[in-house]
């Protein structure tokens, strides 16, 4: 199998991550945020998984991604379908996973040229 390098320097890439934050193109963020490949990281209001509201997903819906990779924090949690009903109605998929898996998955999909949104929740309530 031949492997070809795909240059991703001009895209927003998760370059490092841990339980307390993420680096997007080597810039550290320790708060919830939304990232798309060609859009700079944007703050995202949820301060914890339990604080999620449908309005939070309206911000992502306006970005019109093909799929949303939702990082639910240190552990994987699953979102109630009512919260993402507007995304589902527009056939925008939402995949839930812990933040570290979300970053890895986002990088893969972004490298494939997909219009993917990475939405990460960093718990600010602890």
């Amino acid at each position: 199998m031949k492997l070809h390098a795909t240059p991703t320097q001009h895209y927003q890439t998760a370059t490092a991550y841990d339980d307390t934050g993420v680096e997007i193109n080597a810039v550290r963020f320790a708060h919830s945020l939304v990232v798309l490949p060609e859009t700079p990281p944007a703050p995202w209001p949820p301060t914890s998984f339990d604080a999620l509201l449908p309005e939070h997903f309206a911000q992502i819906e306006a970005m019109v991604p093909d799929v949303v990779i939702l990082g639910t924090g240190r552990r994987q949690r699953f979102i109630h379908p009512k919260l993402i009903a507007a995304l589902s109605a527009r056939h925008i998929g939402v995949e839930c996973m812990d933040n570290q898996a979300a970053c890895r998955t986002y990088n893969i999909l972004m490298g494939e040229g997909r219009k993917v949104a990475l939405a990460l929740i960093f718990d600010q309530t602890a």
Side-chain angles (χ1 to χ4, degrees), residues 8-80:
T8 58
Q9 292 87 358
H10 63 282
Y11 293 122
Q12 304 299 319
T13 304
T15 52
Y17 44 81
D18 59 31
D19 287 339
T20 62
V22 64
E23 288 184 11
I24 304 296
N25 291 352
V27 176
R28 178 113 178 130
F29 296 90
H31 57 79
S32 300
L33 71 156
V34 178
V35 183
L36 273 81
E38 296 179 356
T39 305
W44 198 38
T47 56
S48 71
F49 180 84
D50 295 326
L52 284 170
L53 300 170
E55 297 81 38
H56 297 141
F57 293 97
Q59 176 183 352
I60 297 171
E61 181 185 2
M63 298 173 180
V64 196
D66 294 333
V67 65
V68 178
I69 305 301
L70 176 61
T72 59
R74 294 179 187 204
R75 66 184 177 93
Q76 181 180 28
R77 297 175 72 180
F78 295 97
I79 190 124
H80 194 284

Side-chain angles (χ1 to χ4, degrees), residues 54-124:
E55 297 81 38
H56 297 141
F57 293 97
Q59 176 183 352
I60 297 171
E61 181 185 2
M63 298 173 180
V64 196
D66 294 333
V67 65
V68 178
I69 305 301
L70 176 61
T72 59
R74 294 179 187 204
R75 66 184 177 93
Q76 181 180 28
R77 297 175 72 180
F78 295 97
I79 190 124
H80 194 284
K82 288 181 184 177
L83 293 174
I84 57 170
L87 292 171
S88 297
R90 293 189 64 182
H91 304 289
I92 299 171
V94 178
E95 297 293 330
C96 300
M97 52 195 77
D98 67 71
N99 282 352
Q100 293 187 23
C103 290
R104 292 188 299 269
T105 303
Y106 165 80
N107 281 345
I108 291 168
L109 294 176
M110 180 265 312
E112 292 175 350
R114 301 277 306 270
K115 188 171 182 188
V116 57
L118 172 64
L120 296 174
I121 300 169
F122 289 100
D123 196 339
Q124 303 296 310

